[in-house]
Amino acid sequence: MIEATGMRAFPPRLPEQPIFYPVLTEDYAVKIARDWNVPASGSGHVLRFQVRREFIDRYEVREAGGRDHLEYWIPSEDLDDFNAAIVGAIVLVKSFP
């Protein structure tokens, strides 16, 4: 779905996904993709992207279960604005398995 946007935007969240959780480090993203997403769905992907500071500064960095697990909580209704604040392309860094 991201490829269909030219690697410029994330797709809308599902009704059971009211929050979008971009994480701050590649190590944490790898852990999620490899250790959680693969067992749950068979694959996981790590993506890199940049977001305009004036947008992301509206949200707090949250700690999710450990000081190395830092993420933003973006409400699904803000995802269009989040996508508009992405600078450049979304880059696929790693895929699992």
Side-chain angles (χ1 to χ4, degrees):
M1 295 173 101
I2 295 169
E3 286 178 336
T5 71
M7 301 300 282
R8 299 284 181 187
F10 289 92
R13 306 300 287 164
L14 298 172
E16 65 271 14
Q17 299 172 318
I19 305 289
F20 177 63
Y21 302 96
V23 304
L24 275 67
T25 67
E26 187 172 323
D27 287 343
Y28 183 32
V30 165
K31 182 179 182 94
I32 293 168
R34 183 192 60 218
D35 299 348
W36 303 343
N37 292 349
V38 170
S41 65
S43 66
H45 308 283
V46 176
L47 305 170
R48 182 179 297 127
F49 54 93
Q50 296 181 353
V51 178
R52 294 186 198 289
R53 171 78 49 204
E54 60 268 14
F55 175 83
I56 205 66
D57 278 350
R58 293 191 260 164
Y59 303 90
E60 290 180 40
V61 173
R62 302 202 180 226
E63 188 176 301
R67 67 179 188 194
D68 295 330
H69 297 172
L70 302 176
E71 60 192 24
Y72 288 100
W73 294 5
I74 310 297
S76 60
E77 61 267 16
D78 295 351
L79 190 57
D80 286 343
D81 292 337
F82 180 89
N83 285 331
I86 292 173
V87 177
I90 299 167
V91 178
L92 176 63
V93 176
K94 294 180 182 170
S95 290
F96 300 95

